[in-house]
Amino acid sequence: MTSPAHVAIIMDGNGRWAKARGLPRVAGHRAGVEALRKTVRAAPQLGISYLTVYAFSSENWSRPKSEVSDLMGLLKLFIRRDLAELHQNGVRVRVVGDKASLQTDIRGLLEEAETLTANNDALTLVIAFNYGGRDEIVRTAQKLALAAVRGEISIDSISTESFAASLDTAGIPDPELVIRTSGELRLSNFLLWQAAYSELVFLPCYWPDFSQDHLADALRDFAGRERRFGGLAPREAAS
Ligand code: FPP
């Protein structure tokens, strides 16, 4: 079975998981971090080289202040508690999203994680934090426009390849598979550029219940898909 090199996950349903148990939403997010840990451990064994997770979107700021602060706290705790284990297991951490507008302590922790693990190669864990696909595309357009105005690049040199190489995800291959838990059927501003040809798998389970078996099932589903990238299926192209 061919495994995708890059799997991206929208970890949705923490709030509903907590509500179903009569627990506060933060309990769902805590359980979500545990599911994330298990997924990071399982990914390399399943042949995955890049795992991207949507941890905080640029739209999540509109949640109640207390929930935003809980999510920020959980990210800090995750880096502080798990960075040593991630490093020991050869995990390289990359962060995508608008880092510039994050609190300095969070930005510092994220940069520390990226620097410490920069040379690891067992798995690249891409944390999408303060991330929005449209925001990423606009920031990239601004970066290239500035370079053009300064005469560093010519307008003609801007291509799909050079644009991709200027996104937050520069150097990371596009995800072949995007998984979303919790039964919602949308991308919610996640990897809009990169997911152009991704296969999508939607699972009914809430993120805290996501297990290695769900991941293996999604990979099997992916292996049965026919990917055409806008072309024809091999048998149609031959006839
Ligand atoms: C969606 O569930 C999940 C999020 C907005 C955040 C995902 C965060 C985690 C899994 C934990 C934090 C991760 C790190 C690395 C700190 P929801 O709250 O939208 O659930 P609902 O749709 O059921 O309300």
Side-chain angles (χ1 to χ4, degrees), residues 11-17 25 28-33 36 53-57 60 63 67 71-76 78 127 129 182 184 206-207:
M11 310 182 286
D12 195 14
N14 296 344
R16 279 163 283 170
W17 181 93
R25 291 179 61 83
H29 295 315
R30 276 192 211 114
V33 176
L36 172 61
V53 292
Y54 206 3
F56 191 87
S57 81
N60 285 154
R63 294 194 176 198
E67 183 166 348
L71 286 165
M72 295 292 153
L74 279 175
L75 175 78
K76 286 196 246 181
F78 176 70
I127 303 176
F129 202 84
S182 94
E184 308 288 351
Y206 295 143
W207 173 250

Side-chain angles (χ1 to χ4, degrees), residues 158-180:
I158 301 176
S159 61
T160 48
E161 289 77 19
S162 74
F163 200 91
S166 300
L167 289 164
D168 295 350
T169 50
I172 299 170
D174 289 342
E176 294 98 323
L177 172 63
V178 176
I179 300 172
R180 181 174 190 147

Side-chain angles (χ1 to χ4, degrees), residues 9 35-36 38-39 179 181 203 205-216 218:
I9 308 185
L36 172 61
K38 288 189 199 145
T39 306
I179 300 172
T181 57
L203 300 174
C205 72
Y206 295 143
W207 173 250
D209 291 327
F210 186 84
S211 66
Q212 180 160 354
D213 290 344
H214 289 106
L215 182 55

Side-chain angles (χ1 to χ4, degrees), residues 39-221:
T39 306
V40 171
R41 289 183 198 128
Q45 295 162 19
L46 292 167
I48 296 167
S49 305
Y50 295 84
L51 177 71
T52 298
V53 292
Y54 206 3
F56 191 87
S57 81
S58 39
E59 286 70 40
N60 285 154
W61 294 106
S62 65
R63 294 194 176 198
K65 248 187 178 165
S66 60
E67 183 166 348
V68 169
S69 140
D70 286 340
L71 286 165
M72 295 292 153
L74 279 175
L75 175 78
K76 286 196 246 181
L77 206 63
F78 176 70
I79 302 283
R80 289 200 184 111
R81 280 207 190 143
D82 291 58
L83 184 57
E85 182 191 327
L86 292 170
H87 186 42
Q88 215 163 34
N89 293 338
V91 176
R92 174 169 68 139
V93 176
R94 276 276 300 266
V95 180
V96 295
D98 183 6
K99 285 187 244 182
S101 51
L102 286 172
Q103 269 169 243
T104 34
D105 59 338
I106 293 190
R107 204 167 64 217
L109 273 173
L110 294 174
E111 282 165 3
E112 181 192 330
E114 286 186 302
T115 308
L116 177 72
T117 62
N119 297 318
N120 293 342
D121 60 5
L123 172 77
T124 299
L125 172 64
V126 184
I127 303 176
F129 202 84
N130 195 20
Y131 177 87
R134 288 180 174 179
D135 177 68
E136 180 191 29
I137 291 168
V138 168
R139 282 188 289 103
T140 302
Q142 288 174 340
K143 210 167 23 177
L144 292 174
L146 185 64
V149 166
R150 287 182 173 156
E152 293 158 10
I153 60 167
S154 73
I155 300 279
D156 292 347
S157 74
I158 301 176
S159 61
T160 48
E161 289 77 19
S162 74
F163 200 91
S166 300
L167 289 164
D168 295 350
T169 50
I172 299 170
D174 289 342
E176 294 98 323
L177 172 63
V178 176
I179 300 172
R180 181 174 190 147
T181 57
S182 94
E184 308 288 351
L185 308 180
R186 55 179 172 268
L187 278 179
S188 298
N189 207 10
F190 187 46
L191 301 179
L192 294 184
W193 174 286
Q194 299 84 346
Y197 286 100
S198 302
E199 295 297 325
L200 309 178
V201 169
F202 298 99
L203 300 174
C205 72
Y206 295 143
W207 173 250
D209 291 327
F210 186 84
S211 66
Q212 180 160 354
D213 290 344
H214 289 106
L215 182 55
D217 283 349
L219 297 184
R220 261 190 295 278
D221 189 339

Side-chain angles (χ1 to χ4, degrees), residues 2-14:
T2 352
S3 270
H6 184 175
V7 176
I9 308 185
I10 303 175
M11 310 182 286
D12 195 14
N14 296 344

Side-chain angles (χ1 to χ4, degrees), residues 216-230:
D217 283 349
L219 297 184
R220 261 190 295 278
D221 189 339
F222 170 83
R225 304 273 180 102
E226 186 175 65
R227 308 193 72 210
R228 294 200 295 272
F229 302 97

